[in-house]
Amino acid sequence: MTNAVSPTSPLVLGAMMFGTTIDEHTSFALLDRFVERGGVWIDTADCYSFWASADGQGGDSERVLGRWLAARPGVRDRVRIATKLGAEPLWSGSWPSGRAGLSRRAVRDAFAGSLDRLGVEAVDLLWLHQEDRRTPIEETVEALAELTGAGLTRRVGASNHPAWRIERARAHARVIGSLPLDALQLNATYLRVRPGTRPPGVEHRFGVLSDEQRDYADAHGLEVWAYTPLLAGAYDNPAKEIPEPYDHVGNERRLAALDEVSAEIGATRGQTVLAWHVAHGVRPMLGGSKLDQLDAAMEAVRLPLTSEQLARLDAAV
């Protein structure tokens, strides 16, 4: 692989709705602006976005990215592409019971399809989209080893997996001498959900970043990516309510601390949340559809928080 770009922004541009609810013209504009402002990581998946597509299957996002890469000679050397596999419906309407999964054959076939749609020879990070209890994790790791060994992906990571399966996967990778999973992608924001609840859109039992998952990542040097960090705009848009699972006394105190710090640094709540993630070494993901949203997020991840402000945000419970 020749892509040796150095990351200059911790923000990840999420391409989930490219080609479905976000048209190609807008998608290209967002991608261009992202690169112009120093963005590097672009995240997609083979199943994006089956729920919004005309045929009930994924692939539209990867196809749009592939056309953008083809239309921008040289841009591949300036960006890093991450995609996911394992959650694509086997047929329209079959999700979640009928999905591709993470067997050796499923991984091989899905990844070949992703490379074809993206129009690339390799990707920079391949995610296991969600766990597959039907398949031994060791089989999945061996399938990933074939891809990393052939130079088809630089790194491998896991989204929506419990910490114990990540550990088993990494242990087996060490046994067979392959590259271990080195990144986690999970739902994470400043507010905390009530125990036993999940935020809207999080279908996975282990989809919300827990203290255990974060502790595991810290102890073993795994990168953490946070999806839906801005609660779909609810931090700042008065027309959007903060989802009910976040409605509890502890979050009232956290919102008060967030308002205080936001006022001190001259930023919105959402921008402060992104800055808080970055201060904790977490890579936040943006899935917005407007250039002003992207600009605000690109500015936010460069906002400095003092150690005292960070401690105050962390202490609010």
Side-chain angles (χ1 to χ4, degrees):
M1 297 179 67
T2 61
N3 187 11
V5 66
S6 297
T8 57
S9 172
L11 188 73
V12 177
L13 181 61
M16 178 187 288
M17 306 311 297
F18 287 6
T20 48
T21 61
I22 303 177
D23 63 52
E24 187 156 319
H25 176 78
T26 304
S27 300
F28 276 34
L30 289 165
L31 289 160
D32 289 343
R33 180 68 64 84
F34 182 66
V35 174
E36 287 168 7
R37 298 204 57 167
V40 173
W41 278 106
I42 303 166
D43 182 81
T44 186
D46 67 344
C47 71
Y48 289 165
S49 288
F50 69 83
W51 56 93
S53 70
D55 62 2
Q57 303 265 216
D60 289 316
S61 174
E62 289 181 330
R63 292 187 191 97
V64 167
L65 282 173
R67 290 192 288 270
W68 176 74
L69 290 168
R72 305 288 189 269
V75 77
R76 180 68 183 97
D77 292 329
R78 300 176 61 187
V79 298
R80 288 180 177 168
I81 303 295
T83 194
K84 312 179 196 72
L85 52 76
E88 168 71 346
L90 292 173
W91 60 87
S92 179
S94 70
W95 199 92
S97 58
R99 54 188 173 86
L102 298 173
S103 69
R104 176 182 274 106
R105 178 177 177 179
V107 168
R108 184 186 302 121
D109 291 349
F111 188 63
S114 288
L115 291 182
D116 182 64
R117 287 185 292 272
L118 290 165
V120 298
E121 296 180 353
V123 299
D124 301 286
L125 175 54
L126 178 63
W127 299 98
L128 306 177
H129 204 155
Q130 61 187 85
E131 65 169 336
D132 176 12
R133 294 285 176 100
R134 300 167 300 179
T135 301
I137 193 67
E138 291 79 8
E139 178 181 337
T140 303
V141 169
E142 289 166 11
L144 294 177
E146 295 175 8
L147 302 180
T148 56
L152 298 176
T153 180
R154 183 189 298 271
R155 298 167 57 195
V156 286
S159 179
N160 307 305
H161 278 63
W164 70 267
R165 283 180 73 81
I166 300 298
E167 172 59 22
R168 277 185 59 175
R170 285 170 54 81
H172 191 63
R174 288 193 293 271
V175 168
I176 65 175
S178 68
L179 288 176
L181 302 171
D182 69 3
L184 305 179
Q185 184 179 143
L186 296 152
N187 172 272
T189 187
Y190 175 63
L191 299 184
R192 297 171 175 168
V193 295
R194 291 193 315 277
T197 67
R198 297 178 203 164
V202 179
E203 309 272 349
H204 319 289
R205 181 181 174 192
F206 299 100
V208 178
L209 180 64
S210 67
D211 289 342
E212 181 181 20
Q213 288 164 323
R214 185 59 205 266
D215 182 60
Y216 182 86
D218 288 345
H220 296 279
L222 275 68
E223 196 171 273
V224 177
W225 292 26
Y227 67 79
T228 325
L230 299 181
L231 304 182
Y235 280 110
D236 297 306
N237 187 344
K240 294 185 175 183
E241 293 186 1
I242 290 177
E244 192 274 337
Y246 296 101
D247 185 13
H248 58 82
V249 174
N251 277 341
E252 292 177 7
R253 290 189 283 267
R254 285 178 86 77
L255 283 172
L258 184 62
D259 285 337
E260 289 177 3
V261 174
S262 297
E264 291 167 8
I265 66 175
T268 65
R269 279 178 171 179
Q271 286 181 310
T272 306
V273 169
L274 295 180
W276 174 80
H277 271 311
V278 173
H280 280 295
V282 172
R283 195 180 286 278
M285 306 173 70
L286 180 75
S289 60
K290 297 179 175 62
L291 289 175
D292 63 332
Q293 295 172 335
L294 176 58
D295 286 337
M298 297 296 284
E299 292 161 8
V301 295
R302 293 185 171 92
L303 288 172
L305 292 174
T306 67
S307 57
E308 186 277 331
Q309 288 169 333
L310 188 61
R312 205 182 333 149
L313 288 169
D314 292 344
V317 292

